[in-house]
Amino acid sequence: MLNKTQAPLTLTKEEMQQYGYKIVDLLASHFENLNSEKLVGLSDRKQMDKLLKQPVPNEPSSPDKVLNEVIKNVLSNVDYLAHPKFYSFVPSPSNYISAMADAIASGFNVFSGNWSTSPAAAELEIVVINWLLEMFNFPIVEGGGILTSGGSMANLTALTTARRIKLKNDYSKAIIYLSDQTHSSNIKAIRVLGFKKHQVRIIPTDMEFKLSLNKLKNAIAKDKLEGYQPFCIIATAGTTNTGTVDPLEEIAAICKKENLWMHVDGAFGGAAILSDKGKSYLKGIEKADSLTVDPHKWFFQPYEIGCLLVKNHKWLSKTFSENPVYLRDIEGNESEINFYDHGIQLTRGFRALKFFMSIKTFGLNAFKDAIQSGIQLTENVEEILRESPKWEVVSPATLAIINFRYNPITHNLSEEKLDALNQYISKRVIASRSAVLVTTILLDQVVLRMCLINPRTTLDDIKDTLTMCEQFADEYFEKNKYENN
Ligand SMILES: *Cc1c(COP(=O)(O)O)cnc(C)c1O
């Protein structure tokens, strides 16, 4: 291997095949054995340094040796977000077809910045964006969009566009409204764009964690009186904490009346549009000016792929076209989209391929079923929790997210004790390395949160985990039995 007569950085055909087969075998057994694998890496920096820190190697090593080091030391120290018992954050169930599509995109190293370099890549991006526009009932001809690295970049791209289209160059008086449940990536985007802190209004949510309309209206009225320029509302379609959808129809009406840009962050919940239940939750989403969806969440794609959809594709080109001289020979005609003119990146990977290949291979109905089953499973979990005298549902099953806590009616625990108990349960579950169940804070309470979008997760998986939690709760009581409750 790596003999001297070859060009640098190349392998013979046979070597490439042998190496590739090994990796395919590795991935196939990963997907095959997901359920039985330890799903969480818990090592600290010191342990990782010891295992992996090394000087840059000047001389070659055998490819197998390097691969084995990666299998042994790297892949055993990362979380498996497609594992059926990974309940936390927004897991990423992923799929094998898309993983292979990524290998093709990377192997051919397809440049997806402009039309003339890779017309079919640009066309496929147009195709999948049209699929998404149709799913969300956005206008197909006028509407547009772009694939991004994820939801954060889609939100940044959206807010950059909103600022450009609504405010042109002066945004010193502009005000943006969002809720206390809005995803942090929006705040980051606002900061990146140079808005000052006093230009952001964080509107409290109501008891259902929805943006409060009255408080929103009052804030807008007050800002107008004070000479500010209300400009944009960020609504969320599926908050990360509770899956809650803000009142989109009513927010759209306010945006219309006040001439505000309506951005909807559907990074988590948007995909639920494919299911009947999700569709009813998401009513009004089609009224957004811009919409973030995140295929690497509930569309089962591997990282990285996010997406921004807009009502009018010209908004993107008006915001992002630069036409530098060194690109003048490849501009093409208007219908031939150069995606570098629709977003921030120039050089872009071929993200559309995995979305295209996986949807075409499995069929959209399989995605619908997978989404529907996650929503249903979460409702079944809610039923189990409600029937038990030990568990309390804090936020009901909504778009496959549920929040609950261990609160046995027999114990009558103080809020402080309940927080400590539920924190303890989460810590012990993670330390067991057989499930990932972390806490969040709702209404000042420490609660356990499950996001059940993984079609591999079964009700039995969850029952197992709940039983485990109950054992850890007993252990907690045993440890603390000399303290009174
Ligand atoms: C995950 C998430 C994001 C951020 O998306 P990334 O793909 O992680 O960058 C933004 N908004 C919401 C509501 C999310 O759930």
Side-chain angles (χ1 to χ4, degrees), residues 90 150-153 155 183 185 236 238 240 265 267-268 294 296-297:
V90 177
S152 302
M153 282 304 285
N155 285 333
H183 192 269
S185 59
T236 305
T240 319
D265 181 357
F268 166 63
D294 213 359
H296 65 206
K297 286 179 173 167

Side-chain angles (χ1 to χ4, degrees), residues 179 181-183 186 211 234-240 244-248 251 263-267 282:
S179 92
Q181 295 294 312
T182 304
H183 192 269
N186 293 288
L211 188 146
I234 303 173
T236 305
T239 61
T240 319
T244 304
V245 180
D246 285 332
L248 300 176
I251 291 172
H263 176 57
V264 173
D265 181 357
L282 296 170

Side-chain angles (χ1 to χ4, degrees), residues 359-380:
I359 292 201
K360 215 169 147 137
T361 304
F362 293 114
L364 191 63
N365 285 337
F367 286 77
K368 284 184 186 172
D369 290 347
I371 289 167
Q372 184 61 40
S373 78
I375 293 175
Q376 186 59 52
L377 177 67
T378 316
E379 289 175 1
N380 297 345

Side-chain angles (χ1 to χ4, degrees), residues 38-43 79 85 88 422-438 465 468-469 472 475 479:
K38 288 283 180 196
L39 78 172
V40 57
L42 293 169
S43 310
D79 282 13
K85 287 183 178 168
S88 296
N422 284 279
Q423 195 70 61
Y424 181 84
I425 291 171
S426 163
K427 221 170 110 188
R428 292 287 284 123
V429 170
I430 294 168
S432 78
R433 298 189 75 191
S434 51
V436 177
L437 179 64
V438 308
T465 302
M468 187 195 240
C469 290
F472 290 140
E475 182 183 284
K479 276 188 172 176

Side-chain angles (χ1 to χ4, degrees), residues 26 55 60 83 130 154 197 207 222 238 240 256 280 351 396 424 451:
L26 174 70
H83 191 288
N130 282 345
K197 212 170 164 183
M207 289 306 287
K222 182 164 178 276
T240 319
K256 193 162 177 214
S280 66
R351 299 188 180 104
Y424 181 84
C451 179

Side-chain angles (χ1 to χ4, degrees), residues 407-479:
N407 183 4
I409 47 175
T410 44
H411 283 60
N412 198 18
L413 299 168
S414 68
E415 284 298 322
E416 203 180 325
K417 277 268 148 59
L418 282 169
D419 286 355
L421 167 62
N422 284 279
Q423 195 70 61
Y424 181 84
I425 291 171
S426 163
K427 221 170 110 188
R428 292 287 284 123
V429 170
I430 294 168
S432 78
R433 298 189 75 191
S434 51
V436 177
L437 179 64
V438 308
T439 63
T440 187
I441 308 268
L442 287 181
L443 309 169
D444 288 328
Q445 301 170 344
V446 174
V447 298
L448 300 165
R449 175 180 166 284
M450 281 186 173
C451 179
L452 301 175
I453 62 173
N454 190 340
R456 299 177 188 93
T457 305
T458 64
L459 199 56
D460 281 338
D461 288 327
I462 292 162
K463 285 180 182 163
D464 273 1
T465 302
L466 291 176
T467 304
M468 187 195 240
C469 290
E470 290 170 10
Q471 285 159 1
F472 290 140
D474 289 342
E475 182 183 284
Y476 176 87
F477 290 130
E478 187 60 30
K479 276 188 172 176

